[in-house]
Amino acid sequence: MNSSAKIKNYVVEIICLLYVLLFVYAGVSKILDFENFQVQLGQSPLLSAFAFWVSWLVPLVELIITALLIIPKFRKIGLKASLGLMTMFTAYIFIILHYSSFVPCSCGGILEKMSWNVHLIFNIVFMILAMAAILFSCDSQDKYNNGSAVFKSLKWIAATIVISTSIVIFLFLSSENIMHHNNPFFRRYPTHSAEFSSEVDLKFNSYYFAGFSSGRVYLGNYTNPSHVVALNEDLKEQDTLKIAFDPKAIPFKIVTIAVRNSHFFLFDGSVPIFFRGDLKNWRVTKELKGMPYFTRAIPIDSTTIVFRSNNAVNSANVLGIYNSIDSLKVNYKRGLLQKQIDGIFDTDGTLVYSEELKKIIYVYYYRNEFIVADQNGFLDYRGNTIDTIKQVKIKVTSLKNGTERAMSSPSFVVNAHTAVYKNLLFVHSKVKGRAENDQLWERSFIIDIYDLNNKSYLLSFPIYHRTDEKLHSFIVTQTHLYALIGKRIAVYKFREIIKKEFKSK
């Protein structure tokens, strides 16, 4: 063996040793911190849908390739496999940086100490080393035979790069489609998609969101219904407003205030009564007569209200549309809510309205389903949240000879709170997804975002809380999320990754 061949053999030996060190370190570190590695893959914009089997396959392949590189008889196969795997890693990072919807936090192991760009360069260097080792490993006899061995190796290198890159692209496109439309219950948490901005101590937990209008957040108070608190967007300015209204002898039980554009509404479904007033002077000016008894109500405009009542068979929930200038006034949409057990508890949920889309949205508490209807109550479509709870998990018991019903076992809440702005539906989920961190769920409330136009899941983000605090409700604007947590109101500012998704149509 001449000196040139010896040098090439030494170079091959060194490259193989570098790959052995790389793959042993990477594979073992993934296995030792397997749960964290699987969680990180679950947050990947490329591999979320395949996180379970990829998390097992990658460290296994790395260790198998290591064994091939150590055994001289299989070294060439090991080098080719090394190039293929490193090409996949390189293509993965390139797509993350240039084509994914967001760039996640760095993974563990080697990536933990490097930025994505630095690791891309690191991978390219190792690809070049693998290609050099493959070419240097060509049989010397074949090499001098018109370079046929080198030519074959070059073709194999080119084919490996093309095939490996194609596999990653296929996984990326498949994962994106699955995550958005057929999600296997993996959440995506882009870094800092919604950041805490400020908070105010309200001293009491009896506040609720009345609405948002002209840059001000309005809070009603169940214990003092005639007073409304108005705060500016950053919560630094606060005013207390008093509604000018003489209730006379109306037997109010639970008065609720709602703000919609330039009007406010005062109502109580147990009476039932519905009044409208002007935000300029906070004076009640009109009664919307003819409202039936209701348990939920959302003003659509100054004359139209979408409501939920117990007017269906066996006092089951039903949605309806009230219009004060319509001769019929009330139009029940009995086919919208679909019962699974009793039609009351199993159809319980939150009712919201997107003014920009002119859409009514009803999200069930106890199952992974929501309803989207137009402003006249005609069904647009039935959507699903990404959790797997299709069947309501409650038990209902009849009391007083069947005249009353109650839940006889603790309810399993799936979607606790809901807000909508334009085309984005925000849902506070109570169900932990696959490959998610337990500590994250202990320290925060998880908000999932859905695009009502595309019927797709977009992403999730946490709202952090203190020990034993409850999330009472939240509302959303173009730029912020406001949450009532315990006795405080907190505001989170949306980053561009969320703001760019808002669309009016």
Side-chain angles (χ1 to χ4, degrees), residues 235-444:
L235 307 183
K236 292 182 179 179
E237 298 178 9
Q238 178 176 330
D239 295 319
T240 300
L241 309 167
K242 183 175 175 58
I243 297 174
F245 176 62
D246 181 9
K248 299 179 180 178
I250 299 173
F252 286 118
K253 293 183 179 179
I254 302 179
V255 175
T256 304
I257 307 297
V259 172
R260 173 71 68 187
N261 297 322
S262 61
H263 294 97
F264 74 90
F265 299 83
L266 183 152
F267 53 92
D268 186 342
S270 65
V271 176
I273 205 79
F274 220 103
F275 294 97
R276 187 185 71 210
D278 198 310
L279 290 185
K280 293 180 180 178
N281 53 24
W282 287 92
R283 182 181 300 277
V284 170
T285 57
K286 182 176 180 61
E287 179 182 354
L288 304 181
K289 297 181 179 181
M291 277 289 293
Y293 289 93
F294 58 90
T295 54
R296 294 269 193 279
I298 298 288
I300 290 179
D301 53 39
S302 60
T303 61
T304 311
I305 300 157
V306 56
F307 65 91
R308 189 193 75 185
S309 74
N310 299 115
N311 188 263
V313 178
N314 296 323
S315 300
N317 289 320
V318 62
L319 295 181
I321 307 293
Y322 165 89
N323 192 316
S324 63
I325 60 177
D326 194 324
S327 58
L328 294 177
K329 290 191 181 296
V330 177
N331 185 4
Y332 289 102
K333 301 298 178 179
R334 301 189 182 277
L336 289 179
L337 299 185
Q338 295 182 334
K339 75 172 186 177
Q340 290 184 346
I341 298 175
D342 67 330
I344 301 176
F345 297 107
D346 63 343
T347 58
D348 200 2
T350 52
L351 178 64
V352 292
Y353 179 72
S354 172
E355 184 176 1
E356 294 76 16
L357 295 187
K358 308 298 182 186
K359 299 292 184 183
I360 300 164
I361 302 97
Y362 189 88
V363 183
Y364 291 110
Y365 280 142
Y366 307 117
R367 54 176 132 157
N368 67 345
E369 186 179 343
F370 59 88
I371 301 163
V372 180
D374 66 18
Q375 60 185 335
N376 296 313
F378 293 104
L379 180 66
D380 189 352
Y381 69 92
R382 299 182 187 276
N384 293 100
T385 51
I386 60 173
D387 60 89
T388 58
I389 313 300
K390 294 183 179 181
Q391 187 66 33
V392 173
K393 296 183 178 180
I394 61 174
K395 291 183 179 180
V396 179
T397 301
S398 296
L399 304 174
K400 297 183 179 180
N401 296 322
T403 59
E404 294 183 7
R405 278 170 283 184
M407 281 195 286
S408 58
S409 62
S411 59
F412 188 88
V413 178
V414 176
N415 305 306
H417 304 95
T418 305
V420 66
Y421 185 76
K422 292 186 176 179
N423 60 308
L424 297 189
L425 177 66
F426 295 72
V427 178
H428 168 213
S429 175
K430 300 292 288 287
V431 186
K432 189 173 72 171
R434 300 173 65 183
E436 290 191 6
N437 192 303
D438 290 335
Q439 292 184 347
L440 178 66
W441 278 81
E442 291 172 0
R443 297 183 289 111
S444 64

Side-chain angles (χ1 to χ4, degrees), residues 204-208 220-227 253-255:
F204 304 98
N205 62 3
S206 54
Y207 287 99
Y208 62 91
N221 192 320
Y222 287 117
T223 59
N224 194 356
S226 64
H227 286 76
K253 293 183 179 179
I254 302 179
V255 175

Side-chain angles (χ1 to χ4, degrees), residues 475-505:
I475 62 170
V476 172
T477 70
Q478 178 80 38
T479 54
H480 295 85
L481 178 145
Y482 299 87
L484 288 172
I485 306 173
K487 297 179 181 179
R488 60 191 175 96
I489 178 174
V491 56
Y492 281 74
K493 187 175 182 179
F494 293 141
R495 299 292 294 271
E496 187 61 28
I497 191 171
I498 294 179
K499 290 194 291 185
K500 70 179 183 181
E501 299 292 344
F502 285 116
K503 297 176 179 62
S504 296
K505 294 183 180 179

